[in-house]
Amino acid sequence: MKPKVLLTHPLLKEAMDYLADQVDLELATEELFLPKAELISKLKDKEGLLCFLTDQVDKEVIDEAPELKVIANCAVGVNNIDVSYARRRGILVTNTPEVLTEATADLTLALILATTRRLVEADRFCRQGKFQGWKIDLFLGQELSGKTLGIIGFGRIGRAVARRAKAFNLKVIYYDPHPLSRNQEKELGAEFRDLDSLLSESDIVSIHASLTPQSYHLISKERLGLMKKTAVLINVARGPIVDEKALVEALEQGKIWAAGLDVYENEPQIEPKLLQLENVILLPHIGSATYETRRKMCFMSVNNLLQGLRGERPNNLVEVD
Ligand code: GLV
């Protein structure tokens, strides 16, 4: 008999067809949001769960799923899952690291360039028929060459951003609770700073940390106050790492120059005041959204799930600290 699996939302078709061949598959919904009660009731008799970052798999959900053996998250971040509780219950949790590193680093650079050179604002200007001719001070922005990029969270994605930054002649400094060895720092051309020094020294601050109780509101009102008035904040990691209300205030009052956001504190809701501001670029959580990467993420999560269901150790098992 094939194992029963719940897929919360569709995968890309090819991967979903492949999964459906291997298991007894139920697709929970075609909607963007799956209510918790529905997740609980559909998961009752399932051995496997393939879910996404929009699904909250907490203690209550896990407690109501007596047959569950594997939770395969189709994302690298696992803040939507109570991983330590799952592991205590003997349930394997997997994620999709590495395959999305380059795409997410590309999007970070896109946001750095778009914010510093005001691309979206300038595009709106053209569409509104306001371009009347070249002008010496039209859409002046911040130059990258010779500036300092501060990277918060220096894992795979943070380092991929650092490698790209070299091409723009940026000086790279980083903060991470686990600093690299001198040799690794040399190889990447990056210097460690404590968080407050990084914030006050950087012209661009880019967040690449995972969301944990320790990183929640790491970028608080006080810390935003340490940044330069000309600085730009980029967040492609998780929204709650930044105090969004404090960020709005900093942008409104010109305490920082601009922000580029791919993630929000209460996704999919965006703080309404952010929508009114010209000096912020807003994206709908598309860090890993390339054809190549999303396909790899789909197959990686399916394979992790199948490995776990077969009683093997999945390739991308999330370890509990
Ligand atoms: C995307 O945000 C992911 O964690 O994969």
Side-chain angles (χ1 to χ4, degrees), residues 149-160:
L149 169 65
I151 298 179
I152 298 176
F154 214 44
R156 282 178 289 256
I157 298 171
R159 294 178 213 186

Side-chain angles (χ1 to χ4, degrees), residues 15 22 80 84 153 165 176 234 244 284 309:
Q22 319 273 324
N80 58 312
S84 49
D176 192 284
I234 306 291
E244 208 164 82
L309 290 173

